Amino acid sequence: MLSKAAAGRYAVGAFNVLDYNSTKAVVQAAEELAAPVILQTSAKTVTFWGPRALVGWVTELAGRVKVPVALHLDHCKDLDLIRDCIEAGWTSVMIDASARPFEENLALSRQVVEMARPKDVTVEAELGAIVGVEDELHVKEQDSHLADPRQAMEFCAKVKLDCFAPAIGTAHGIYKGEPKIAYHILQEVATSTRVPIALHGGTGLSDEVFRRCIALGCAKVNISTQIKYAFIDGFVGYHNAHSTQYDPLKVLQAQFDEMKKGIAGNIKLFGSAGKA
Ligand code: 13P
């Protein structure tokens, strides 16, 4: 999915899902737009529901559509959880050992590749430190740093990744100011590593930033916070407008519509519509 996207200069949307309803919103938006899509789960979400429940929803929903649907484990530091997800049916995993020294990050990423490869599961790893909060993962401003292009080249030469996440100045969560994207790092890393690049911190980036990053080699764009907002705002908005009505299915439909609208907009912008 990602090497095709990188070659075609478009990106596949990778959406962090929270429950059955958000998973359905992603799959239906992708089907309507004939787009390949990635369902992502944070480690926290997997622990909340349990791997088997999640795989059950995904198998059922993906089985109804014609577009390719991947199931990816986002930022995970825990090798046992990665193993559980591989066993349960995830098609892709991310080992995030980016807080460790270079050699340890490399060794752990290699270990995950060895674990994943026999099961045909793809692997993403991170270098540098992406600022912000992604569920239980907190990286403070002072601890964040961009990926070093020379280290990135060495890293990708020493571990065979399917997707690489260098820190290039984007952030998880809501941007406080205008993000400063290190396009030169992205360009150098994409050219020297030839590995499809994941753009983290998608929520709140401008159309222009997305277009530039995708043109430079970002083949996967991660969107999480936007879905969390749509999930809550869809619920609250509906309830505020119908405060005497207690009909949960109508609330779920309002949440679904709100999430799907944003997801469909992302897919169109990333250029993956019609690429299934
Ligand atoms: P946002 O929460 O900023 O959309 O970032 C998502 C992400 O990168 C998940 O890994």
Side-chain angles (χ1 to χ4, degrees):
M1 216 187 246
L2 294 185
S3 39
K4 230 175 116 183
R9 292 292 173 197
Y10 64 90
V12 179
F15 301 98
N16 287 60
V17 295
L18 301 153
D19 65 348
Y20 182 81
N21 208 24
S22 46
T23 308
K24 187 171 149 193
V26 175
V27 173
Q28 286 200 1
E31 174 72 356
E32 280 172 28
L33 293 165
V37 81
I38 300 168
L39 295 163
Q40 271 186 177
T41 55
S42 69
K44 194 173 160 187
T45 302
V46 180
T47 308
F48 187 88
W49 295 108
R52 308 231 168 257
L54 269 155
V55 167
W57 310 333
V58 172
T59 309
E60 194 263 327
L61 289 164
R64 288 194 214 163
V65 297
K66 291 195 203 73
V67 295
V69 178
L71 177 59
H72 177 72
L73 175 64
D74 196 21
H75 296 279
C76 190
K77 299 175 179 177
D78 176 355
L79 294 201
D80 290 334
L81 187 62
I82 291 179
R83 191 175 292 109
D84 288 350
C85 287
I86 292 174
E87 294 296 330
W90 263 250
T91 59
S92 180
V93 293
M94 175 180 188
I95 164 72
D96 181 356
S98 59
R100 311 261 194 139
F102 181 87
E103 290 299 334
E104 282 180 37
N105 185 358
L106 185 61
L108 282 165
S109 301
R110 274 179 160 164
Q111 210 177 321
V112 170
V113 169
E114 274 164 33
M115 213 193 281
R117 207 59 85 208
K119 305 264 182 190
D120 261 340
V121 168
T122 55
V123 178
E124 174 180 341
E126 175 175 328
L127 191 69
I130 300 169
V131 70
V133 180
E134 180 50 46
D135 277 354
E136 270 172 352
L137 207 92
H138 298 245
V139 178
K140 293 199 187 94
E141 187 94 48
Q142 65 268 29
D143 298 329
S144 71
H145 59 272
L146 300 181
D148 172 334
R150 269 180 314 178
Q151 280 199 336
M153 203 165 112
E154 186 186 341
F155 195 84
C156 292
K158 291 183 170 167
V159 56
K160 188 88 196 73
L161 300 172
D162 304 283
C163 184
F164 182 49
I168 56 162
T170 57
H172 292 130
I174 298 292
Y175 287 96
K176 293 188 189 80
E178 188 74 21
K180 279 201 191 71
I181 314 293
Y183 293 107
H184 60 290
I185 295 185
L186 170 58
Q187 183 163 27
E188 210 177 319
V189 171
T191 316
S192 67
T193 63
R194 305 193 138 268
V195 178
I197 305 288
L199 182 66
H200 281 250
T203 302
L205 294 178
S206 68
D207 293 5
E208 169 61 19
V209 170
F210 280 130
R211 288 202 189 95
R212 240 178 119 177
C213 290
I214 293 168
L216 289 173
C218 288
K220 170 176 182 268
V221 178
N222 288 6
I223 302 283
S224 174
T225 305
Q226 172 195 301
I227 296 175
K228 292 180 185 170
Y229 272 62
F231 186 100
I232 308 275
D233 290 345
F235 191 119
V236 174
Y238 188 86
H239 186 60
N240 285 345
H242 307 85
S243 58
T244 56
Q245 189 191 80
Y246 279 79
D247 186 339
L249 293 180
K250 288 204 168 124
V251 176
L252 286 173
Q253 184 65 48
Q255 276 185 303
F256 174 86
D257 293 343
E258 191 70 21
M259 291 186 282
K260 190 178 152 211
K261 189 171 65 183
I263 293 159
N266 297 137
I267 290 175
K268 288 183 203 154
L269 180 62
F270 303 160
S272 56
K275 304 287 195 218

